[in-house]
Amino acid sequence: MSQPLPNPYEHELPPEALILGRPVAWALTVCFLALITVPSLWQDGREWSRDQGWIPAVEFVRTVRGVDAPGRAMADRLRTYEQSLEQHLEWARPLRQWAQRQQTKWLGAGNHKVALGSEGWMFYRPEIKALTGYGPLREEPQSVASDPSLRAWQPPLQPILDFAEQLQSRGIELWLVPVPMKESIYPELLGGQASGPVVHPDQAEFYGTLSANGLKIIELNQFLWDMKLQDSTQGPVYLRTDTHWAPRAMQGVAALLAEKLGQVQTPQALRKMVTGAGDLSEKLDLGVEGKPEEVSIQVPPRITSAAAARITLLGDSFVNIYRDPGLGFGEGAGFGEQLSSALGEPIEIIGINGGGASQVRQRFASKTPAELNRIRIVIWVLAARDLFLGRAESQANQVTWEEVKFPAKVLKPSELVGEFTEARVMATVVEISPIASDLNPQATTYPNAVVAVKYRVEQVLSGSLLPRDITVYQWLFKQRAWQPASKLKPGQQLSLKLLPWNEARDAFSANQFDEFHDLEPYWGEP
């Protein structure tokens, strides 16, 4: 019987062995099991003692089995479960913040939303992708790993052209004012080199197509680049720790538009200093108070009678910054106020944070023919990143381009059951806007959001309203804290106080998660 050949390298690679005794092996096993089970059991016990009815272990079993939502895709159920985890697991966020502080301090690293530049500047990663990605004209290839539950994506070109055509048929001019991305104007702070603004390769063709179809494009890249040359004496044109423009850039663009409209006024304005924590600083989520950013805003005198204005301003948070106190930089001094002051005439302002792509057009389309007859110009101000994000990034950032049609006649609640003022009803939840199903308020762009909920009115307890299906807006979260509507489920019945939507003034500029697009939603309170 032949003997096995000796290993010729045995003298170079001596055998090694790691031998653990039984007590040590048991100790390591117990430590590992404790590490993966104790936090969950601790959270289960904490929730049980609070009697809040949401136990992670129980909810996970219910989610996998589909107890609460039969027929829903497993991916949808797991996303809902992850949302609940973010809401309830209080111990996870401090650990994440500690890890982020170490990465930022020692490695100079941001996170999946924020890129750190030089000189203390912060930049929004989706904007960087909007400059370098596929954009609005080139079709993005489908990955073999694409999530099949992703919604079909509508590129922005056709919805914008359709909107402009409908306005033109009513004798209304459309001026499109895309606000450049901060990275376009300050590429050197991200390590780039440029002798002029950095733009997406499709920009010239995209804007050219819009111009050829009758839109007036106010292209601001070079304008803001030239303003930047005066930064050393007048301050930057963008906020250092926020995605938005600085007051002097906003005021400069307002004056530019007033000049193009042929009406430049120079009214007296009150100047005041405001401080705010930038939205990028919040997104970095270090868990410590950052250094607030201080800016000087110009608060112009209020010009009344906007209901009779010939100009309507549509916009997103670039219109609401310095106007909406929820954004943290004061109020009464936003782009609409600056433009109205520069023109010396009232304008109508429709500004929705995060809703510059579709929701402002939907609200404008809900106007009656009589209201549309007085409007001669629509000025549409929105973040340029919404125009140049590709399919995947648009869906990841909840940017949708819906086709908006002007109805021949708009039915108001007052036309259905007389003058509607208020009602208390018993109603059943039919459906919650699915776009809000996988949100984390701590990671969203804006601190306040409302969600659209479809209800079936079962009984009218007080007030004048017919039992029927309605769409109701409710607070989803305020100052990043979940509100009762976040726990609603189809089939749930509850008492609801209904008000006309136009009475919910503090919610008008909030981010709106709405895939139902009811022309006249109600406002609902528990």
Side-chain angles (χ1 to χ4, degrees):
M1 183 175 180
S2 60
Q3 297 294 322
L5 294 175
N7 184 351
Y9 303 105
E10 189 171 0
H11 63 288
E12 297 180 12
L13 298 172
E16 296 181 3
L18 178 62
I19 301 174
L20 296 177
R22 187 180 296 273
V24 175
W26 272 108
L28 291 175
T29 301
V30 170
C31 288
F32 173 73
L33 292 175
L35 185 65
I36 64 175
T37 59
V38 167
S40 179
L41 292 174
W42 175 83
Q43 185 70 29
D44 286 349
R46 186 179 178 86
E47 298 298 332
W48 183 275
S49 66
R50 289 178 175 180
D51 194 27
Q52 293 190 2
W54 194 93
I55 311 301
V58 174
E59 291 299 322
F60 180 75
V61 173
R62 292 170 65 87
T63 296
V64 173
R65 293 179 59 195
V67 171
D68 293 324
R72 288 177 62 201
M74 176 63 74
D76 289 341
R77 293 202 295 270
L78 290 178
R79 271 194 290 269
T80 302
Y81 177 69
E82 288 171 354
Q83 175 188 351
S84 300
L85 286 178
E86 290 286 350
Q87 181 177 351
H88 288 83
L89 299 188
E90 300 171 357
W91 54 268
R93 192 179 179 207
L95 292 177
R96 187 169 62 246
Q97 291 172 333
W98 177 86
Q100 183 62 58
R101 287 198 297 273
Q102 307 316 308
Q103 292 183 69
T104 300
K105 179 179 180 180
W106 301 109
L107 303 177
N111 58 19
H112 69 291
K113 288 287 188 182
V114 180
L116 300 182
S118 56
E119 302 177 22
W121 281 66
M122 298 180 183
F123 296 88
Y124 193 34
R125 288 193 188 277
E127 290 188 345
I128 299 174
K129 294 176 180 177
L131 285 174
T132 59
Y134 283 93
L137 300 181
R138 291 181 294 162
E139 186 170 349
E140 187 172 346
Q142 289 278 356
S143 165
V144 293
S146 292
D147 184 348
S149 67
L150 288 176
R151 296 176 295 276
W153 180 61
Q154 169 69 66
L157 184 60
Q158 196 56 50
I160 294 175
L161 292 176
D162 289 346
F163 185 60
E165 182 180 357
Q166 292 180 84
L167 292 177
Q168 290 164 6
S169 69
R170 290 165 171 80
I172 303 173
E173 257 189 283
L174 177 59
W175 292 29
L176 184 64
V177 187
V179 182
M181 292 161 268
K182 184 161 69 169
E183 297 77 5
S184 297
I185 309 301
Y186 290 96
E188 69 278 5
L189 296 175
L190 278 169
Q193 297 291 330
S195 57
V198 177
V199 300
H200 191 278
D202 287 346
Q203 177 177 292
E205 182 181 352
F206 184 71
Y207 288 168
T209 302
L210 295 175
S211 296
N213 284 271
L215 278 81
K216 189 174 181 65
I217 309 296
I218 309 298
E219 206 280 301
L220 297 175
N221 283 287
Q222 192 61 50
F223 179 80
L224 293 181
W225 182 273
D226 293 340
M227 286 191 75
K228 183 186 77 165
L229 302 180
Q230 308 300 320
D231 278 8
S232 59
T233 57
Q234 299 185 35
V237 295
Y238 281 82
L239 299 172
R240 295 176 185 273
T241 61
D242 196 282
T243 54
H244 299 99
W245 49 14
R248 81 176 185 99
M250 176 186 65
Q251 292 156 14
V253 173
L256 174 68
L257 286 178
E259 182 180 345
K260 290 182 179 296
L261 288 164
Q263 301 176 219
V264 181
Q265 306 289 323
T266 55
Q268 295 297 317
L270 171 67
R271 286 198 168 272
K272 66 177 183 179
M273 302 300 294
V274 297
T275 58
D279 57 6
L280 292 175
S281 181
E282 290 182 351
K283 288 181 180 65
L284 192 56
D285 197 21
L286 296 177
V288 294
E289 290 291 333
K291 183 180 179 181
E293 191 161 359
E294 186 177 51
V295 294
S296 173
I297 62 173
Q298 177 176 292
V299 185
R302 184 176 180 183
I303 301 178
T304 58
S305 303
R310 68 185 181 96
I311 297 174
T312 295
L313 173 66
L314 308 181
D316 54 16
S317 56
F318 276 93
V319 164
N320 288 333
I321 190 76
Y322 315 115
R323 176 176 183 252
D324 176 4
L327 296 179
F329 283 95
E331 58 184 312
F335 183 77
E337 288 81 2
Q338 306 299 334
L339 180 58
S340 177
S341 178
L343 288 171
E345 67 173 273
I347 64 173
E348 179 188 26
I349 304 171
I350 300 177
I352 301 175
N353 298 333
S358 293
Q359 291 165 338
V360 291
R361 291 183 293 124
Q362 289 157 355
R363 188 177 296 177
F364 184 84
S366 70
K367 292 182 174 298
T368 64
E371 291 171 329
L372 290 173
N373 284 341
R374 65 173 167 78
I375 298 168
R376 300 274 60 88
I377 299 174
V378 169
I379 298 175
W380 185 9
V381 176
L382 77 164
R385 68 170 176 266
D386 288 357
L387 295 171
F388 294 101
L389 285 173
R391 175 187 57 81
E393 288 301 320
S394 290
Q395 293 177 333
N397 290 278
Q398 287 92 40
V399 177
T400 59
W401 289 94
E402 307 288 345
E403 292 186 358
V404 173
K405 299 298 181 184
F406 288 74
K409 177 171 174 56
V410 179
L411 285 178
K412 303 286 186 178
S414 58
E415 296 178 85
L416 293 170
V417 285
E419 188 63 31
F420 174 76
T421 55
E422 181 180 321
R424 169 68 68 174
V425 301
M426 287 298 297
T428 301
V429 177
V430 176
E431 187 179 359
I432 301 132
S433 186
I435 202 169
S437 62
D438 55 354
L439 289 175
N440 172 12
Q442 303 304 326
T444 53
T445 305
Y446 308 105
N448 301 325
V450 297
V451 63
V453 183
K454 280 191 176 295
Y455 284 97
R456 179 174 297 110
V457 177
E458 309 289 359
Q459 182 182 1
V460 179
L461 303 176
S462 65
S464 57
L465 185 72
L466 295 176
R468 60 189 178 88
D469 290 345
I470 59 174
T471 299
V472 179
Y473 276 4
Q474 296 176 255
W475 284 115
L476 182 64
F477 52 82
K478 293 180 70 174
Q479 294 304 312
R480 305 194 186 281
W482 288 110
Q483 300 300 302
S486 66
K487 299 179 180 179
L488 293 177
K489 295 180 180 179
Q492 181 177 345
Q493 191 173 95
L494 68 158
S495 173
L496 201 62
K497 178 183 177 182
L498 298 178
L499 297 169
W501 165 238
N502 59 16
E503 290 189 13
R505 296 287 177 181
D506 59 341
F508 275 14
S509 61
N511 200 191
Q512 296 174 8
F513 295 100
D514 177 12
E515 289 192 342
F516 306 138
H517 313 313
D518 193 318
L519 291 175
E520 190 67 22
Y522 292 85
W523 177 250
E525 299 174 356

